[in-house]
Amino acid sequence: MCVRRWNFAAEAIMCGSPMANTDLMPTPGAFDPVPTPRDITPRADGRVDLIGLPKARIRDLFEAAGLDAKAAKLRSKQVFHWLYHRGVTEFEAMTDIAKTMRPWLTERFVIGRPEVVEAHHSTDGTRKWVLRTADGNDFEMVFIPDADRGTLCISSQVGCTLNCRFCHTGTMRLVRNLTPGEIVGQVMLARDSLGEWPKGSMAGLDEVEDSAEYTSDGRLLTNIVLMGMGEPLYNFDNVRDAMKLVMDGDGLALSKRRITLSTSGVVPMMERCGEEIGVNLAVSLHAVRKDIRDEIVPLNKKYGIEELLQACADYPGASNARRITFEYIMLKDKNDSDEDARELVRLLKQYDLPAKVNLIPFNPWPGSDYETSLPERIRAFSDIVFEGGISAPVRTPRGRDIGAACGQLKTAAEKKSRAQRDREAAEAAEEKSAA
């Protein structure tokens, strides 16, 4: 995915994976090497991961495993609550389910989380995790704390097909789409790490909760952005199903106004996104001239600027209260002139868009063809857009010291073999014990 996201990748996961040669694709497009779309990743132990599944699907699985319809309905309701309101990871912790029932659940099902391969903590508070799926594919997520909010940036695919020139993840090929469980699992894992699950006993509460016991200790994770690895609208069904769980009042219960989906401009899916998900929209614009956007965002050859902006104007729910965010990477002598700024204002006004522009200083990565615009050039660009009546703040880079800033996240971790990571872990353990 391009750099509007905190982009994540792992070269090691490409080894031995059957892949189409995306270098030969004339224009980017949706492609998932998994031949049959799936909503659950198969596990080696044969158990089914319940994370990412709606209540009705859990009920159906319980019935298929042998429970009668009434019992399946009751147990699915109880389990769903424990999964998404309480954040438990073991069936034994579900105290309102009979002790004899818990081993039956454990034998057939699992409460999954992505495996944490590496975790990094920046000096500015940003956290980055390298995660692994049950079938051995690596991806990443980033948490960015601010004074008044905490934003979790999550991935929707392993790899990307868009090949945006300024984006490190764009140098990857697509491995596969993430399932709803692998998308929701990132939110669950972040809540685990931040200690944000409610405290208190559920024993004996059956159908009625005691709200005095059912309280959290304060929310650090307040916002979610689909700005990680992958193009969310090329994995639409799984992203939609995952976000429904995140927004469900019986699920993770996060307001749709606190969720932003970022797209490079997959025009045919944008209306469905507004209608079926209803979250805030961010668009990776990055250039206002066709030749430049064709170069840095190749999807522009398929869906041009005018077509993209018309889709933004038609986006369901867009208003001055819910503005569309346009991400704009600042590249020296490429898209940062006064003329570019004035053309940006003209285009947004032409389509009467309720818009905000995020100006993103380019974060260089090894092998990149571009340089960051000078600070005074970025300020001048921002001033012109502000004078045109459109908000254009400059995003402060975060997590640079751990490779978590925008566009940097084809990380050093991906270049390490598993053996090397194991050696480093063993050495760290030895040092800790010696101390």
Side-chain angles (χ1 to χ4, degrees):
M1 200 64 163
C2 60
V3 73
R4 67 185 188 286
R5 317 187 201 324
W6 291 270
N7 298 289
F8 321 121
E11 286 175 344
I13 62 181
M14 309 302 296
C15 302
S17 298
M19 291 295 305
N21 185 354
T22 53
D23 292 336
L24 301 179
M25 297 173 67
T27 57
F31 175 76
D32 185 350
V34 177
T36 304
R38 63 193 186 196
D39 61 355
I40 302 174
T41 299
R43 293 174 52 89
D45 61 12
R47 294 188 294 169
V48 176
D49 188 350
L50 297 181
I51 292 297
L53 303 183
K55 197 180 301 178
R57 181 76 187 282
I58 295 174
R59 181 192 64 214
D60 291 344
L61 286 170
F62 286 179
E63 281 196 56
L67 294 184
D68 63 46
K70 184 177 180 181
K73 182 178 180 180
L74 172 63
R75 297 308 182 197
S76 64
K77 180 179 180 180
Q78 291 173 314
V79 168
F80 190 88
H81 181 89
W82 280 103
L83 296 181
Y84 294 109
H85 273 268
R86 311 293 291 186
V88 303
T89 56
E90 300 291 341
F91 293 107
E92 281 299 320
M94 299 182 179
T95 54
D96 61 341
I97 293 178
K99 289 184 178 180
T100 55
M101 185 71 192
R102 296 175 212 166
W104 183 90
L105 289 166
T106 302
E107 183 181 345
R108 293 162 176 80
F109 304 101
V110 66
I111 304 167
R113 295 287 194 273
E115 176 190 354
V116 177
V117 179
E118 293 189 11
H120 303 272
H121 201 150
S122 169
T123 54
D124 64 22
T126 300
R127 303 187 192 187
K128 182 182 73 173
W129 293 267
V130 181
L131 307 176
R132 178 165 296 156
T133 65
D135 60 351
N137 290 310
D138 290 7
F139 61 102
E140 297 186 17
M141 71 174 184
V142 169
F143 177 72
I144 301 176
D146 285 302
D148 60 346
R149 69 176 61 191
T151 301
L152 183 69
C153 178
I154 62 177
S155 294
S156 57
Q157 296 178 310
V158 179
C160 192
T161 63
L162 294 181
N163 308 318
C164 296
R165 288 280 303 279
F166 56 85
C167 171
H168 212 177
T169 303
T171 64
M172 286 188 70
R173 296 184 178 96
L174 177 68
V175 178
R176 69 166 175 84
N177 289 329
L178 292 176
T179 67
E182 289 159 352
I183 296 170
V184 174
Q186 296 170 68
V187 185
M188 311 289 279
L189 190 63
R191 281 198 172 177
D192 292 346
S193 178
L194 296 169
E196 295 223 317
W197 295 109
K199 306 299 189 292
S201 172
M202 286 287 290
L205 295 185
D206 199 17
E207 295 293 320
V208 181
E209 282 183 12
D210 182 343
S211 60
E213 288 187 300
Y214 190 69
T215 58
S216 79
D217 296 332
R219 186 63 57 82
L220 295 175
L221 197 169
T222 62
N223 294 69
I224 292 173
V225 290
L226 285 144
M227 294 184 178
M229 187 194 306
E231 166 56 65
L233 296 187
Y234 277 152
N235 186 19
F236 180 82
D237 289 350
N238 288 352
V239 167
R240 176 198 59 207
D241 294 349
M243 290 304 100
K244 283 186 175 180
L245 289 171
V246 171
M247 296 183 290
D248 189 338
D250 292 328
L252 292 170
L254 191 68
S255 168
K256 65 182 180 181
R257 294 181 180 274
R258 292 188 173 273
I259 301 173
T260 299
L261 182 148
S262 185
T263 178
S264 287
V266 184
V267 168
M269 301 303 296
M270 288 171 60
E271 184 175 6
R272 283 189 66 192
C273 176
E275 291 176 345
E276 298 180 34
I277 310 177
V279 294
N280 301 318
L281 184 69
V283 174
S284 289
L285 189 61
H286 302 312
V288 291
R289 288 179 284 153
K290 176 177 170 26
D291 59 333
I292 300 300
R293 195 164 193 268
D294 282 352
E295 173 190 335
I296 64 178
V297 185
L299 187 65
N300 194 66
K301 299 173 186 176
K302 196 169 185 178
Y303 308 114
I305 294 174
E306 292 78 11
E307 188 178 1
L308 172 59
L309 293 179
Q310 185 59 56
C312 291
D314 296 336
Y315 186 73
S319 66
N320 286 328
R322 296 189 67 194
R323 292 177 293 172
I324 293 173
T325 299
F326 290 90
E327 309 284 5
Y328 199 97
I329 190 77
M330 299 300 295
L331 303 172
K332 183 179 179 182
D333 300 328
K334 180 63 66 172
N335 65 351
D336 63 351
S337 68
D338 288 353
E339 291 74 18
D340 289 317
R342 285 189 279 269
E343 176 64 6
L344 175 59
V345 172
R346 187 192 71 78
L347 283 170
L348 296 181
K349 289 194 170 184
Q350 176 185 336
Y351 287 88
D352 195 25
L353 287 166
K356 169 187 174 182
V357 178
N358 267 349
L359 300 179
I360 309 168
F362 173 63
N363 292 298
W365 42 269
S368 168
D369 296 329
Y370 303 107
E371 296 180 49
T372 309
S373 299
L374 297 174
E376 54 268 28
R377 179 91 295 273
I378 297 175
R379 284 194 297 273
F381 192 104
S382 175
D383 289 344
I384 291 171
V385 180
F386 267 115
E387 288 165 6
I390 299 167
S391 176
V394 179
R395 181 185 292 170
T396 302
R398 299 290 297 273
R400 276 181 166 173
D401 58 321
I402 58 171
C406 293
Q408 290 186 320
L409 297 181
K410 191 172 182 184
T411 62
E414 72 195 356
K415 299 177 180 66
K416 300 176 186 176
S417 68
R418 183 57 187 264
Q420 182 179 352
R421 283 196 288 260
D422 289 344
R423 284 196 300 272
E424 290 177 355
E427 290 170 1
E430 288 177 6
E431 290 177 3
K432 186 176 181 179
S433 62

